[in-house]
């Protein structure tokens, strides 16, 4: 079962519950623990002392926390599915996002724990040029000596025929025929942390000018966010962009019905089975009144790029809303392709 092949609300609900069930079982298994161990040792190899005289794994606590958190979020997190038409909106918002210095509250996310499925993945290019599709995101809160944070994980679909990461897995599987049996339907590719009630730190300066890198290409027509230009970690940016956009009038989150048999299987496996499909809301154009106080009006149409607008609520808490790319100006006026905009005052 694959969310990419679904196009109806019941289909998305069945696929989401099936994937959550399989991923919970996988993360709770020995194979899942071994994958998390290999992921941590590869990702944070620089944190491991060269001489471990004590004989214990220095990353044991991190591996245990990651394994436990991921097993729990796949079981108990509420599921969301981004309809394909909505993917580009969330990707554009994530690409333009800079959370440096922001204070995020505990209610920044719609739920304490969640799983976001992307039937049309957003692609992530690392500094070394590797491309991986983000076909699912998970988030949950964790507590450390530094305080509470959001743990955000990016997952690639293991069998996506268009994903370069899946192609690498197939290459490894030809060398080790047992590999696929030791992987879940989604493969962990990235881990980000967003602090709660503390300023979001700036990304570390990175040297990206290495001409010898072998840059992978993403599938044609897909949105790609690169570490080289990102101002917030990519998976964290996608998660935050989704949190904000799904709550705006531009989007509508529709509960997806689940058939009785799938619901019973989810209950037996203790899997939270509520699924919401987030889609673009249909909107109608607004007409400007002919009378009223003097105001600026445009003589041309022009493209307004998507951007984040900062606002403050009645309690003085700052937040953002995403202004989607749109064409501004009166219907029938010439479309301006340059940077200049002509206005007429009345």
């Amino acid at each position: 079962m694959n969310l990419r092949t679904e196009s109806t609300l019941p289909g998305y609900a069945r696929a989401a519950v099936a994937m959550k069930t399989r991923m919970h079982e996988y993360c709770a298994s020995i194979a899942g623990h071994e994958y998390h161990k290999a992921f941590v040792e590869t990702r944070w190899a620089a944190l491991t002392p060269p001489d471990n005289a004590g004989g214990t794994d220095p990353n044991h606590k991190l591996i245990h926390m990651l394994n436990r958190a991921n097993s729990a979020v796949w079981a108990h997190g509420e599921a969301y599915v981004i309809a394909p038409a909505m993917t580009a909106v969330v990707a554009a918002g994530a690409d333009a996002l800079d959370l440096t210095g922001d204070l995020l509250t505990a209610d920044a996310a719609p739920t304490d724990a969640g799983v976001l499925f992307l039937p049309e993945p957003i692609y992530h290019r690392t500094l070394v040029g590797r491309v991986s599709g983000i076909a699912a995101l998970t988030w949950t809160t964790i507590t450390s000596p530094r305080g509470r944070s959001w743990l955000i994980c990016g997952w690639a679909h293991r069998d996506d025929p268009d994903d370069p990461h899946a192609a690498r897995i197939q290459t490894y599987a030809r060398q080790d025929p047992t590999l696929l049996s030791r992987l879940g339907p989604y493969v962990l590719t990235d881990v980000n942390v967003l602090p709660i009630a503390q300023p979001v730190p700036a990304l570390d300066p990175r040297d990206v000018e290495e001409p010898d890198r072998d840059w992978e290409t993403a599938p044609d027509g897909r949105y790609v966010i690169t570490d080289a230009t990102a101002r917030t970690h990519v998976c964290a940016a996608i998660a935050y962009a989704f949190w904000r956009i799904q709550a705006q009038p531009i989007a509508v989150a529709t509960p997806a019905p689940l058939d009785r048999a799938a619901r019973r299987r989810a209950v037996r496996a203790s899997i939270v089975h509520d699924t919401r499909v987030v889609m673009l809301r249909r909107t109608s154009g607004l007409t400007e009144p002919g009378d009223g106080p003097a105001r600026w009006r445009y003589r041309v149409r022009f493209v307004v790029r998507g951007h984040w607008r900062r606002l403050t609520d009645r309690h003085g808490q700052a937040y953002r809303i995403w202004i989607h790319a749109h064409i501004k100006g009166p219907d029938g006026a010439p479309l301006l392709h340059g940077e200049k905009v002509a206005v007429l005052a009345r």
Side-chain angles (χ1 to χ4, degrees):
M1 187 172 291
N2 191 330
L3 276 88
R4 293 187 58 186
T5 61
E6 302 295 341
S7 59
T8 65
L9 295 183
Y12 282 138
R14 284 194 303 271
V17 170
M19 292 297 102
K20 289 184 74 215
T21 302
R22 292 178 60 188
M23 285 302 299
H24 166 63
E25 293 172 350
Y26 169 72
C27 290
S29 69
I30 295 176
H33 177 80
E34 290 300 320
Y35 184 89
H36 282 98
K37 183 174 184 293
F39 178 87
V40 169
E41 292 174 347
T42 303
R43 179 72 178 269
W44 290 284
L47 302 180
T48 304
D51 183 15
N52 186 16
T56 60
D57 187 350
N59 295 319
H60 172 74
K61 290 184 178 180
L62 178 58
I63 296 169
H64 179 69
M65 180 275 297
L66 196 59
N67 199 76
R68 182 179 58 184
N70 283 334
S71 178
V73 73
W74 281 106
H76 307 302
E78 294 191 23
Y80 297 82
V81 178
I82 296 183
M86 195 73 188
T87 303
V89 179
V90 173
D95 204 10
L97 187 64
D98 184 0
L99 289 175
T100 304
D102 281 17
L103 290 172
L104 304 185
T105 60
D107 60 355
T111 56
D112 289 339
V115 178
L116 175 63
F117 292 100
L118 296 91
E120 183 175 301
I122 298 172
Y123 286 85
H124 173 203
R125 178 177 284 116
T126 66
L127 292 177
V128 296
R130 286 195 166 187
V131 174
S132 298
I134 300 174
L137 279 174
T138 57
W139 69 84
T140 188
T141 55
I142 58 174
T143 303
S144 69
R146 296 183 180 181
R148 294 184 68 201
S149 301
W150 294 105
L151 176 68
I152 302 170
C153 297
W155 306 79
H157 197 286
R158 188 193 70 182
D159 300 320
D160 186 347
D162 299 325
D163 189 350
H165 189 84
R168 289 194 292 272
I169 292 176
Q170 296 299 326
T171 300
Y172 300 146
R174 287 192 287 270
Q175 303 171 6
D176 180 3
T178 67
L179 176 63
L180 295 181
S181 64
R182 292 183 278 112
L183 296 177
Y186 291 98
V187 179
L188 181 65
T189 59
D190 200 10
V191 174
N192 297 161
V193 175
L194 278 179
I196 298 175
Q198 298 182 39
V200 177
L203 296 183
D204 294 333
R206 296 159 295 186
D207 178 17
V208 298
E209 297 181 359
E210 295 184 15
D212 295 334
R213 286 179 174 156
D214 184 17
W215 295 94
E216 292 181 338
T217 58
D220 292 340
R222 302 297 181 87
Y223 211 107
V224 183
I225 305 178
T226 67
D227 281 338
T229 58
R231 288 160 289 183
T232 297
H233 290 296
V234 171
C235 288
I238 295 173
Y240 183 85
F242 169 74
W243 296 344
R244 295 304 311 157
I245 292 172
Q246 64 86 30
Q248 294 181 212
I250 189 177
V252 57
T254 304
L258 187 65
D259 60 75
R260 181 179 298 179
R263 186 183 300 110
R264 286 178 174 176
R265 288 193 295 270
V267 171
R268 286 197 298 267
S270 299
I271 301 296
V272 173
H273 54 270
D274 294 332
T275 301
R276 294 180 178 87
V277 180
V278 181
M279 301 175 286
L280 280 171
R281 185 189 300 272
R282 294 184 178 181
T283 58
S284 58
L286 299 178
T287 59
E288 297 183 359
D291 299 325
R295 58 184 298 177
W296 294 98
R297 66 180 179 89
Y298 298 98
R299 294 188 297 166
V300 297
R301 291 180 300 149
F302 58 96
V303 177
V304 179
R305 296 179 59 186
H307 59 281
W308 290 98
R309 178 178 294 170
R310 291 178 178 268
L311 300 173
T312 304
D313 63 20
R314 61 181 180 177
H315 304 294
Q317 181 66 45
Y319 68 100
R320 301 168 185 253
I321 61 172
W322 175 250
I323 307 300
H324 191 40
H326 60 279
I327 295 178
K328 194 168 186 178
D331 293 339
L335 180 61
L336 191 68
H337 295 284
E339 297 295 331
K340 297 181 179 180
V341 177
V343 297
L344 175 67
R346 67 169 177 88

